[in-house]
Amino acid sequence: TVKSSTEADLNPVSYLAQVENAGRQRAAFVNVSDTLLDHDWLQQMFEQSGVDRIMDGLLEIEGEEIRWTIRFHEKDREEPVSVREEAFAKGKLFDKLYEAISDLATQAGVTLPERLSRENFDYGTESADSFLKFLEGYDALSYIQQSNGAVVEEFSPEPAMEALLESCRLDPEFLGPYETLVQLCRACGHFQIGTFAVIEGTLQKLHEMAPDDFRATFAMGELYQFANDVGKAAELYEKAISIDPNEASLYTRLGMMQLAQGMPVNAERNFRKAVEMEGDDKPSMDYLAAVLQQTNREHEVPALWKGLLDQNASRPQIHAKYAIALYQAGREQDGLDAFENALTSLESDEDKAVIKRYFAPILAQRGDLDRAMDFYEDCIDYTPNDVPLLLEYAQTLQQADRSFEIPQVLRNVLGSNPDPNTRAQTMAWLIELEQPKRTDVVETAREKMENGDFEAAIRDLKPLRNWLADYWKMWALLSSAHNRLGQSEEAEDAAKRLLEIFPGCEPAYGELVTALNSQGKDEEAYHTMRIAAMSMPQSFGVHVNLALAAKRAGHDDEARMLAKQLREAVGPNEELEPIFAEIER
């Protein structure tokens, strides 16, 4: 789609498919074909995308030779409008790439600007081997990002990491592989893909290649932060600061770790340092305000925001945070007046919508529901897919006895692609509003379980499995009831269905592990708790159960390590001592 003489919309296509893998919904890359696409595939793409032209191709590398075919297609034409088919030496890669880019511009009907002339075009490297290794590694990062971490179980990022390391070795001046590998390691740490040792070892090698760049050390600190080793994370963030003392975000991360270690004075000092170095946005100011609140110094917070407001009165977020700080410091009327002043002084409706977004929940809390709902509706006009905003609005409608309006808001939430846990809770609320008779049966079953009548509860719940297939509360009761009666296979099935719907439901992991252990599936129970620990890294109960599952599956060293970390976190605790003794036995 041509937009101007030098600009066009180009849409790359990746083929991902949802698959059931290891009991979870995951995304897998689909190799459409190891040959060129046929006309039917291309026609489907034209129909689904609405584009004017499609470029596809096939590339093969054998030794020092590259062979490729590049084609351009128009809708309703079986034959390509253009075909480039050639074989060439690797040394000619960049020349051939530029020819392909020029073909793409021609087919898109645009003229490449002077900055993108062959003489000015910069690939970041002159090494074809380094560039090809970079592309190989970049694919893995793209896959993780597009699947949001839901990669298939057999996927290993290690080959991509090795490819990117090799790309760095082949051309140490090429920034692409370094930056991509840092992001790949961060993504793997965040989603717990691959092993801790491989990620850490890769980052260590990367640091050794570029010791003056702080980013590999920062990523190592983040890796330990994901593993809840805040002491080691703080140590690495300090090391990153020694490499680059002018990076504000490093002081923020260090402050966060110090706060988690119970060192608020050190944290405050680093947050203040970050704020001094930051631009107008001052993202670390929220952390500094939190430290002051935690140390019973709420009265100091308004002055922080007032100082920023005096410097930049045109930013609505600063107005709003100043007003909230006043309100939370016990100066409620001053806070309300600050909100009203912002609504008066700011000129654009969009800026006023920011103020209304912060003001609305306070108005709802004070019982001014009509005005709160008006404000929420104004905000929704600007951000109709803001999930927290929509849910707050729905809760205010409920508070105002306007429940008949809630289902449409909840459907809007579900249509805004919320995270799975929010989706589960939203769907449950919607089902309770639209199918009250069926959810009343679930409530009755819960009461029967409280009275110990698990068989009667199961009789009530079983007929609802199709009608309330997306109602997590029904599956939670069903898995629990089956476990109480020793019906482990049925409990396993119900718990797995529950976790498909609501992956953040902590009790569901307990029910699933109980069912698996009862069937002798100790290794599967262990992997289940590893998934739970990934989903809920801050949950003490999940990590206790992970340690128990590791012990029962024969992973004694890991179980003892987890028990040691848990002891350090909780301190002396007579209640937990028998559990720790079992883990360490």
Side-chain angles (χ1 to χ4, degrees):
T1 304
V2 178
K3 297 169 74 175
S4 72
S5 61
T6 58
E7 188 176 354
D9 287 331
L10 300 176
N11 303 293
V13 177
S14 295
Y15 294 92
L16 289 176
Q18 291 296 317
V19 296
E20 179 79 16
N21 185 245
R24 298 176 66 200
Q25 287 294 315
R26 300 174 186 265
F29 264 130
V30 177
N31 293 320
V32 177
S33 175
D34 58 2
T35 61
L36 291 164
L37 298 176
D38 62 30
H39 178 72
D40 290 341
W41 262 100
L42 293 164
Q43 193 62 30
Q44 289 179 42
M45 292 175 64
F46 273 117
E47 292 171 357
Q48 293 169 10
S49 64
V51 297
D52 298 330
R53 291 195 173 187
I54 288 175
M55 171 188 178
D56 78 328
L58 187 67
L59 180 145
E60 298 172 288
I61 302 173
E62 188 172 329
E64 292 300 309
E65 184 179 75
I66 296 175
R67 294 191 301 274
W68 71 18
T69 302
I70 299 172
R71 308 185 303 178
F72 291 91
H73 310 267
E74 286 184 348
K75 190 175 181 180
D76 299 325
R77 283 189 57 169
E78 289 203 22
E79 296 301 318
V81 296
S82 173
V83 178
R84 175 187 288 267
E85 188 172 10
E86 53 195 343
F88 51 88
K90 276 185 186 176
K92 295 288 186 181
L93 174 64
F94 298 118
D95 290 332
K96 295 299 180 181
L97 278 174
Y98 193 78
E99 290 175 13
I101 291 167
S102 298
D103 284 352
L104 180 59
T106 300
Q107 294 293 332
V110 300
T111 302
L112 291 174
E114 180 60 28
R115 63 184 176 82
L116 295 182
S117 67
R118 180 66 187 95
E119 294 74 21
N120 295 328
F121 207 95
D122 185 7
Y123 295 94
T125 180
E126 294 181 1
S127 167
D129 285 313
S130 180
F131 190 76
L132 290 168
K133 285 291 181 183
F134 160 68
L135 293 178
E136 185 180 326
Y138 183 81
D139 271 352
L141 176 60
S142 177
Y143 173 36
I144 293 170
Q145 289 174 333
Q146 290 179 52
S147 66
N148 197 32
V151 299
V152 292
E153 192 174 44
E154 58 268 25
F155 169 76
S156 170
E158 195 168 354
M161 292 177 179
E162 286 298 331
L164 290 166
L165 283 171
E166 182 62 17
S167 180
C168 289
R169 293 187 192 103
L170 289 166
D171 184 357
E173 301 300 317
F174 184 17
L175 296 179
Y178 180 96
E179 294 171 348
T180 299
L181 186 48
V182 168
Q183 292 305 315
L184 177 59
C185 289
R186 292 184 68 192
C188 289
H190 176 72
F191 293 113
Q192 296 202 10
I193 297 169
T195 68
F196 184 97
V198 166
I199 300 170
E200 183 187 34
T202 300
L203 288 168
Q204 185 60 44
K205 292 173 185 175
L206 202 57
H207 169 68
E208 290 166 2
M209 288 180 181
D212 294 333
D213 195 309
F214 75 91
R215 287 173 291 182
T217 304
F218 166 79
M220 270 193 281
E222 192 174 57
L223 181 65
Y224 276 93
Q225 182 180 339
F226 289 142
N228 289 317
D229 190 340
V230 295
K232 183 64 174 178
E235 178 187 323
L236 285 160
Y237 289 142
E238 285 189 286
K239 184 177 177 182
I241 288 171
S242 71
I243 297 171
D244 188 349
N246 298 314
E247 182 61 42
S249 62
L250 296 177
Y251 294 93
T252 306
R253 285 297 186 102
L254 177 58
M256 291 166 63
M257 296 303 96
Q258 291 169 332
L259 196 58
Q261 290 177 288
M263 302 164 61
V265 174
N266 300 58
E268 179 183 343
R269 182 172 60 249
N270 281 301
F271 289 145
R272 288 188 184 277
K273 179 72 172 175
V275 168
E276 288 173 10
M277 298 169 68
E278 289 167 346
D280 290 341
D281 288 345
K282 303 291 183 188
S284 297
M285 185 67 85
D286 289 312
Y287 293 106
L288 178 56
V291 171
L292 295 176
Q293 289 169 339
Q294 289 179 31
T295 53
N296 299 315
R297 292 154 65 195
E298 294 92 342
H299 60 282
E300 296 181 29
V301 177
L304 292 176
W305 293 113
K306 184 62 167 65
L308 287 184
L309 191 60
D310 290 342
Q311 295 172 27
N312 195 343
S314 64
R315 294 182 62 81
Q317 290 86 353
I318 298 176
H319 279 277
K321 290 179 179 180
Y322 173 55
I324 290 171
L326 289 168
Y327 195 85
Q328 292 177 339
R331 298 166 57 184
E332 293 188 3
Q333 190 56 54
D334 288 340
L336 297 173
D337 290 344
F339 273 121
E340 300 292 358
N341 177 65
L343 289 173
T344 302
S345 61
L346 293 169
E347 295 183 1
S348 78
D349 289 341
E350 190 171 356
D351 285 348
K352 290 181 180 181
V354 173
I355 302 300
K356 292 174 181 180
R357 176 68 183 89
Y358 288 91
F359 200 2
I362 290 177
L363 292 170
Q365 180 187 28
R366 295 176 65 84
D368 192 349
L369 300 178
D370 288 339
R371 195 177 185 205
M373 287 185 290
D374 286 344
F375 281 7
Y376 277 125
E377 288 160 10
D378 290 344
C379 295
I380 290 169
D381 286 341
Y382 282 98
T383 54
N385 297 314
D386 184 331
V387 169
L389 172 64
L390 291 166
L391 289 173
E392 283 181 32
Y393 178 47
Q395 290 158 1
T396 307
L397 288 170
Q398 185 178 50
Q399 193 178 345
D401 294 325
R402 289 167 55 179
S403 295
F404 65 95
E405 297 181 52
I406 296 175
Q408 184 55 54
V409 179
L410 298 182
R411 278 190 281 273
N412 291 342
V413 171
L414 295 171
S416 298
N417 195 30
D419 68 85
N421 297 323
T422 301
R423 174 176 289 278
Q425 297 282 29
T426 304
M427 181 63 75
W429 189 2
L430 182 60
I431 289 170
E432 286 161 0
L433 289 171
E434 296 189 329
Q435 302 185 54
K437 290 184 179 179
R438 291 191 176 114
T439 55
D440 283 348
V441 174
V442 176
E443 178 60 23
T444 300
R446 184 189 63 76
E447 293 170 0
K448 289 178 180 178
M449 288 179 63
E450 288 180 351
N451 293 324
D453 194 349
F454 301 110
E455 290 182 352
I458 289 173
R459 283 196 301 272
D460 288 347
L461 294 171
K462 273 189 171 181
L464 298 175
R465 287 176 298 180
N466 290 328
W467 293 106
L468 299 180
D470 293 325
Y471 189 48
W472 71 266
K473 296 180 183 180
M474 186 272 294
W475 293 106
L477 292 176
L478 197 56
S479 62
S480 179
H482 280 306
N483 264 331
R484 298 308 177 275
L485 294 175
Q487 298 167 352
S488 302
E489 291 184 9
E490 293 87 345
E492 177 188 347
D493 290 341
K496 284 182 174 178
R497 175 58 185 153
L498 168 56
L499 287 169
E500 286 176 14
I501 300 168
F502 190 2
C505 181
E506 187 171 334
Y509 288 98
E511 297 294 347
L512 180 53
V513 166
T514 298
L516 293 171
N517 285 144
S518 297
Q519 299 172 72
K521 299 179 179 179
D522 295 335
E523 189 66 25
E524 187 175 344
Y526 163 67
H527 284 294
T528 295
M529 289 315 304
R530 285 194 67 199
I531 293 170
M534 284 191 286
S535 301
M536 291 166 282
Q538 304 303 321
S539 170
F540 184 82
V542 162
H543 283 83
V544 169
N545 282 311
L546 172 58
L548 283 167
K551 176 67 177 178
R552 290 167 185 161
H555 302 285
D556 292 347
D557 290 343
E558 181 179 354
R560 291 190 192 97
M561 181 193 71
L562 288 166
K564 179 176 180 293
Q565 293 174 349
L566 291 165
R567 282 185 184 278
E568 291 172 354
V570 76
N573 189 304
E574 291 183 12
E575 228 175 278
L576 292 171
E577 191 56 40
I579 299 174
F580 289 147
E582 178 185 345
I583 296 168
E584 294 166 338
R585 189 172 59 242

